[in-house]
Amino acid sequence: MGLPRTGNNMMWWQPDLDLVAGEPAEAVAAAQVAVDASKGIGTITSYATEVALPVKGTWKNPAIGSARADVVVIAPDDDVPLLFIEVDNCTEEAVLIAAKFDKYARFFRRKEEDTDGIEICVRWNDSEI
């Protein structure tokens, strides 16, 4: 499954019940089940693809060795403050995929000095993307 389909499958697209009016009862019942199901996670603006996660450097100019998430989801209204998704189409070896998780860990351990010279953890800020 490619990146666009991954995001689309996490957002639930509900069918319009007016479009199945007059169809067989089984079709109407199936559409109703889809309408009654979970609404999914976030909206189209909750998703970004190929986002650099700098271990050093800046958001716009990450250092070599920084992770690059296939999909990033920020949907706090759905209790998903931050989610990274790796999409593998069997084009990378398992060792390479495993190394990405080390890069994610390095991103989360990143610390910088604030303007007073105090070391702080760098936190995700979607306004900087």
Side-chain angles (χ1 to χ4, degrees):
M1 174 183 323
L3 295 180
R5 286 188 57 204
T6 300
N8 287 342
N9 287 334
M10 292 185 68
M11 294 179 295
W12 189 251
W13 300 98
Q14 295 181 340
D16 182 349
L17 292 177
D18 291 337
L19 296 176
V20 293
E23 295 295 327
E26 297 84 11
V28 174
Q32 187 63 55
V33 167
V35 168
D36 294 339
S38 168
K39 67 179 185 73
I41 301 172
T43 65
I44 193 69
T45 60
S46 303
Y47 294 77
T49 59
E50 298 298 330
V51 177
L53 307 172
V55 293
K56 285 286 184 195
T58 65
W59 292 104
K60 294 192 185 273
N61 190 19
I64 294 174
S66 295
R68 184 169 294 276
D70 289 334
V71 181
V72 174
V73 182
I74 302 173
D77 293 342
D78 293 322
D79 296 323
V80 181
L82 179 62
L83 175 66
F84 300 139
I85 301 171
E86 275 299 318
V87 179
D88 177 31
N89 291 322
C90 299
T91 58
E92 295 178 310
E93 294 181 20
V95 173
L96 200 62
I97 295 169
K100 289 182 178 183
F101 292 101
D102 178 57
K103 290 179 180 182
Y104 287 141
R106 288 176 36 217
F107 167 75
F108 280 112
R109 287 192 305 266
R110 177 182 175 174
K111 296 188 181 216
E112 295 288 333
E113 288 186 2
D114 68 7
T115 55
D116 296 323
I118 299 171
E119 193 173 74
I120 58 170
C121 289
V122 176
R123 297 288 181 231
W124 186 268
N125 182 346
D126 60 352
S127 67
E128 296 178 9
I129 297 175

